[in-house]
């Protein structure tokens, strides 16, 4: 049996407590929705006004919901009715690995990989030529990501050609 959960444009699917949580882009609100697998009912888990928040990605760490929103840009944590910002700026990836949240702070020339655990943020690595369209993974003490080649445009400005990205692994101290 196939059951349609969303009309279109949903991503960032995650299973939690017998539900499927996801971001639905079809509504143009970029909200986090919860689909109950038992009742086949959908509810807004975290509403976002399109003109204000625009949630792009999220991850659960027990009962804490970590999410990146574009306006105002930053990585936020919501637990019960409390919400606080962890890091502002352009966050490209949010992942969970061994009880820690990891995220990337993206800047044009380098990207910082950060961890967050027990209300403390720590920068664990700096990576160059990061291809944010591929994301990253952490296994043990290694970060795996795609790296693009540096190119200069006709004016001499630094640009990247991500179409020729290659996989890279980089060690860090955990």
């Amino acid at each position: 049996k196939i059951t349609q959960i969303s009309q279109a444009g949903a991503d960032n699917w995650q299973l939690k407590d017998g539900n499927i949580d996801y971001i639905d882009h079809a509504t143009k609100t970029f909200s986090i929705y919860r689909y109950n697998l038992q009742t086949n009912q959908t509810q807004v888990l975290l509403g976002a006004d399109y003109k204000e928040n625009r949630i792009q990605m999220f991850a659960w760490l027990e009962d804490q919901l970590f999410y990146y929103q574009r306006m105002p840009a930053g990585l936020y944590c919501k637990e019960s009715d409390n919400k606080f910002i962890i890091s502002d700026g352009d966050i490209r990836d949010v992942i969970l690995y061994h009880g820690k949240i990891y995220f990337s702070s993206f800047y044009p020339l380098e990207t910082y990989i950060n961890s967050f655990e027990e209300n403390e943020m720590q920068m664990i690595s700096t990576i160059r030529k990061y291809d944010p369209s591929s994301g990253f993974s952490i296994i043990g003490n290694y970060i795996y990501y795609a790296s693009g080649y540096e190119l200069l445009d006709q004016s001499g400005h630094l640009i990247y050609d991500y179409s020729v990205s290659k996989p890279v692994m980089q060690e860090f101290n955990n």
Side-chain angles (χ1 to χ4, degrees):
K1 178 181 175 186
I2 297 175
T3 303
Q4 184 173 339
I5 295 172
S6 174
Q7 295 300 314
D11 67 10
N12 205 164
W13 301 82
Q14 296 187 23
L15 294 173
K16 179 164 174 51
D17 303 329
N19 301 295
I20 298 175
D21 298 339
Y22 61 95
I23 297 173
D24 190 340
H25 298 289
T27 61
K28 302 277 191 237
T29 63
F30 296 91
S31 298
I32 300 175
Y33 287 82
R34 172 165 282 172
Y35 179 80
N36 185 300
L37 294 169
Q38 299 299 317
T39 65
N40 296 328
Q41 298 294 312
T42 301
Q43 69 181 48
V44 176
L45 187 64
L46 183 61
D49 183 330
Y50 174 75
K51 294 177 183 171
E52 292 180 15
N53 297 328
R54 300 188 70 186
I55 295 171
Q56 301 290 230
M57 64 190 76
F58 69 94
W60 283 101
L61 179 58
E62 297 174 7
D63 290 329
Q64 293 179 309
L65 175 61
F66 292 84
Y67 61 96
Y68 170 66
Q69 70 182 34
R70 293 187 60 191
M71 293 186 260
L75 179 63
Y76 293 82
C77 177
K78 183 177 186 316
E79 186 173 19
S80 298
D81 291 330
N82 300 321
K83 169 184 162 181
F84 59 93
I85 189 164
I86 293 169
S87 181
D88 60 357
D90 193 1
I91 308 297
R92 294 295 174 103
D93 304 285
V94 179
I95 63 171
L96 176 64
Y97 180 70
H98 284 293
K100 285 186 185 179
I101 292 290
Y102 292 88
F103 62 97
S104 61
S105 300
F106 183 77
Y107 297 92
L109 297 178
E110 55 191 14
T111 298
Y112 304 107
I113 305 298
N114 305 287
S115 68
F116 184 81
E117 180 182 36
E118 297 179 9
N119 295 327
E120 185 176 319
M121 186 177 82
Q122 176 183 4
M123 186 184 72
I124 61 168
S125 187
T126 302
I127 55 180
R128 294 189 47 77
K129 304 180 198 173
Y130 177 62
D131 178 353
S133 66
S134 297
F136 71 92
S137 294
I138 293 179
I139 301 172
N141 287 346
Y142 289 91
I143 301 168
Y144 296 85
Y145 62 97
S147 178
Y149 289 95
E150 289 183 16
L151 297 175
L152 296 177
D153 66 12
Q154 293 176 347
S155 304
H157 295 97
L158 181 65
I159 59 171
Y160 293 97
D161 181 1
Y162 294 119
S163 66
V164 290
S165 288
K166 61 184 186 282
V168 174
M169 74 178 206
Q170 180 174 322
E171 189 172 15
F172 71 95
N173 292 325
N174 196 1

